[in-house]
């Protein structure tokens, strides 16, 4: 039986983006590796005005359903674990809530992974009931929002 991950072609721009530039092809914890791979892209915006990063994050969310849906369709597996563009979007959303700091990145990473893995309601509901490219993205978007709100309230306590 062929491994569906072997169907990803990193020369295909959609597959390259969907797999988080290949980070989602990690042999274990692809979502975690995808989230980690998003951090350098966030760092590229550290010296930009906040609205630029927010626009970039919105763009990531808007094109995400197409990228994720097309990659899933190409390999014939809905929400394959190697598709981590949704983790990029979720991590970016998480970090929109606070100013840059290494502490914010670390705590935001843990919070986002928590909400993405545990999937409390309504994240779990959306994960099960929304399909296609939007279905791949929506649970991570909401996990990013939840993590971002938590991060916003936690950061002042951390100094």
């Amino acid at each position: 039986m062929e491994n569906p991950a072997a169907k990803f072609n990193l020369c295909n721009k959609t597959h390259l983006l969907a797999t988080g530039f290949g980070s989602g092809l990690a042999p274990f914890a692809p979502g975690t590796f995808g989230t980690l791979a998003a951090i350098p892209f966030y760092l590229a915006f550290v010296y930009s005005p906040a609205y630029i990063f927010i626009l970039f994050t919105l763009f990531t969310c808007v094109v995400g359903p197409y990228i994720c849906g097309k990659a899933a369709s190409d390999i014939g597996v809905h929400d394959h674990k190697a598709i981590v563009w949704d983790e990029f979007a979720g991590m970016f959303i998480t970090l929109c809530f606070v100013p840059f700091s290494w502490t914010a990145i670390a705590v935001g990473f843990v919070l986002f992974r928590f909400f993405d893995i545990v999937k409390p309601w309504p994240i779990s509901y959306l994960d099960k009931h929304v399909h296609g490219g939007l279905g791949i993205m929506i649970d991570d978007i909401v996990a990013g929002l939840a993590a971002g709100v938590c991060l916003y309230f936690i950061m002042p306590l951390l100094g």
Side-chain angles (χ1 to χ4, degrees):
M1 182 172 172
E2 183 181 1
N3 175 6
K7 293 182 179 181
F8 285 107
N9 175 1
L10 297 183
C11 292
N12 176 315
K13 292 173 191 162
T14 304
H15 293 196
L16 182 67
L17 293 173
T19 62
F21 303 92
S23 63
L25 296 171
F28 62 93
T32 299
F33 278 94
T35 305
L36 285 170
I39 294 170
F41 292 91
Y42 165 74
L43 292 173
F45 290 92
V46 167
Y47 295 110
S48 300
Y51 77 90
I52 299 291
F53 179 64
I54 291 168
L55 287 173
F56 175 74
T57 301
L58 288 172
F59 176 76
T60 302
C61 293
V62 168
V63 301
Y66 171 78
I67 290 168
C68 295
K70 176 76 171 111
S73 174
D74 287 352
I75 67 158
V77 178
H78 174 71
D79 205 0
H80 188 280
K81 291 182 184 309
I83 297 174
V84 295
W85 183 263
D86 49 335
E87 271 79 11
F88 272 56
M91 186 65 178
F92 294 158
I93 291 167
T94 300
L95 295 172
C96 280
F97 285 77
V98 296
F100 166 76
S101 76
W102 291 106
T103 302
I105 292 171
V107 174
F109 172 83
V110 170
L111 286 168
F112 173 67
R113 291 309 299 145
F114 170 79
F115 283 106
D116 189 31
I117 293 167
V118 174
K119 296 189 188 312
W121 189 91
I123 299 166
S124 58
Y125 178 85
L126 294 168
D127 185 50
K128 291 178 183 142
H129 293 92
V130 182
H131 305 288
L134 180 61
I136 295 170
M137 290 289 298
I138 195 69
D139 62 310
D140 291 82
I141 289 171
V142 176
L145 289 169
V149 168
C150 290
L151 184 63
Y152 176 82
F153 287 107
I154 288 172
M155 284 309 294
L157 301 174
L158 298 176

